[in-house]
């Protein structure tokens, strides 16, 4: 989870136009999970725990400045239908 969150945070900074609501929500959930339950013990030696927390918080803040995250809210039925099906 930590490695994936680090990659997503990195991509959020480099390619914010490719990031959508689900990616943003995932970063928020990882941040909240790490605050509530602590940090993983099996993380990569290359990635320090406080550094990962900072990357996640910075990515969330960056996305909030580049996207209007207040308008993302809950997807409408039309948005759900229009999304391409994954894995097919």
């Amino acid at each position: 989870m930590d490695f994936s969150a680090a990659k997503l945070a990195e991509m959020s900074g480099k390619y914010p136009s490719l990031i959508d609501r689900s990616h943003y929500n995932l970063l928020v959930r990882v941040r909240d999970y790490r605050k509530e339950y602590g940090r993983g013990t099996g993380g990569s030696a290359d990635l320090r725990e406080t550094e990962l927390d900072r990357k996640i918080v910075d990515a969330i803040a960056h996305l909030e400045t580049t996207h209007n995250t207040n308008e993302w809210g809950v997807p409408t039925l039309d948005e759900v239908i229009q999304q391409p099906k994954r894995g097919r």
Side-chain angles (χ1 to χ4, degrees), residues 13-26:
K14 290 182 179 179
Y15 311 104
S17 63
L18 298 177
I19 302 300
D20 63 15
R21 173 188 339 191
S22 62
H23 303 117
Y24 171 79
N25 289 342
L26 183 61

Side-chain angles (χ1 to χ4, degrees), residues 6-7 22 36 46 57 61:
K7 279 296 181 188
S22 62
E36 186 172 344
D46 296 339
V57 168

Side-chain angles (χ1 to χ4, degrees), residues 4 6 11 13 17 35-37 43 46 51 56 68 77 80 85:
S4 297
M11 290 178 63
S17 63
K35 280 183 182 178
E36 186 172 344
Y37 298 106
D46 296 339
E51 183 180 339
I56 292 171
N68 190 354
L77 180 59
V80 171
K85 294 182 180 173

Side-chain angles (χ1 to χ4, degrees), residues 52-85:
L52 176 58
D53 289 336
R54 183 190 50 77
K55 283 183 178 185
I56 292 171
V57 168
D58 290 348
I60 290 169
H62 180 68
L63 290 173
E64 288 173 346
T65 61
T66 59
H67 296 293
N68 190 354
T69 55
N70 291 328
E71 288 184 1
W72 273 347
V74 178
T76 64
L77 180 59
D78 289 336
E79 290 173 332
V80 171
I81 292 171
Q82 289 176 358
Q83 287 184 354
K85 294 182 180 173

Side-chain angles (χ1 to χ4, degrees), residues 30 34 36 42:
V30 169
R34 289 172 60 84
E36 186 172 344

